[in-house]
Amino acid sequence: GVQPATGYRPSDATSRHRHSQAAWLDLEQRLTPRLDLSAAARHEQYSDFGDTSTFKLAGRFAATRTLALRASTSTGFRAPHLAQSWFANTSNTVVSGNLVSARQLAVSDPVAHTLGAVPLRPEESVNHSAGLVFTHDREQRRPDSNRRNVAGNIRCAPEPLFAPLRRHDDFLDRL
């Protein structure tokens, strides 16, 4: 019998690339015997997503010999992977006697645009954390609290689209 198989059509093939450059600075300073501060900044330039700058500020205060408080805030940036932007494949199976072809379309594919896909944007985040450090007999406990807000989260379409086929080539030619 026919077995389902994932495959690639010639139109699924692509050759894509990205260039990126980055510069960063990371500074740490003990201001007093009980207070440490740090700051970091990073600037990146992507050939396909432009420029971005991110930062981090952090501090640690030793309230006593056994208790310290720490906190940080930062921003983040993640450009979509090339595969997230450009990968496509085709799989075929038989359902109720009909050949069914399913395609994972690249987000840049005109058919994907017709179905509602929009160009991917980078994910950007704002992160906050705070915590305590308890020290007792050379053992430490470190309860922390973190909050991250992400904008532009990248995810796949919720449902694959299937179409029953009478002639496999006719359907693929229409996509």
Side-chain angles (χ1 to χ4, degrees):
V2 176
Q3 298 296 317
T6 298
Y8 301 96
R9 298 175 46 215
S11 62
D12 291 340
T14 186
S15 177
R16 302 294 174 169
H17 62 276
R18 167 184 294 155
H19 298 286
S20 67
Q21 295 179 326
W24 65 93
L25 177 65
D26 191 344
L27 303 170
E28 294 187 27
Q29 181 67 46
R30 174 160 283 166
L31 296 179
T32 71
R34 294 171 44 183
L35 180 62
D36 296 329
L37 294 178
S38 65
R42 179 181 180 102
H43 182 78
E44 293 182 83
Q45 182 179 31
Y46 291 86
S47 59
D48 53 349
F49 282 99
D51 292 14
T52 185
S53 295
T54 56
F55 74 91
K56 180 177 181 179
L57 298 173
R60 183 179 189 278
F61 176 71
T64 68
R65 287 180 18 163
T66 60
L67 174 66
L69 310 165
R70 58 187 180 169
S72 68
T73 188
S74 63
T75 58
F77 177 92
R78 187 181 76 81
H81 296 286
L82 290 176
Q84 289 176 305
S85 297
W86 299 104
F87 178 79
N89 77 354
T90 306
S91 63
N92 304 304
T93 191
V94 176
V95 176
S96 301
N98 293 312
L99 181 60
V100 175
S101 186
R103 291 193 58 204
Q104 179 178 346
L105 302 171
V107 72
S108 58
D109 189 299
V111 175
H113 286 231
T114 301
L115 296 172
V118 294
L120 296 180
R121 298 176 323 183
E123 291 181 354
E124 296 179 347
S125 63
V126 177
N127 314 288
H128 304 287
S129 70
L132 302 171
V133 180
F134 297 103
T135 305
H136 180 67
D137 291 336
R138 290 192 250 172
E139 185 177 306
Q140 289 188 344
R141 303 278 185 218
R142 299 174 180 211
D144 285 324
S145 175
N146 300 291
R147 179 169 177 85
R148 175 176 293 160
N149 296 321
V150 179
N153 195 4
I154 300 167
R155 58 194 175 278
C156 288
E159 299 279 336
L161 300 173
F162 294 95
L165 307 175
R166 298 225 188 275
R167 270 200 37 204
H168 186 270
D169 292 336
D170 288 345
F171 177 73
L172 291 179
D173 289 341
R174 285 185 279 141
L175 287 181

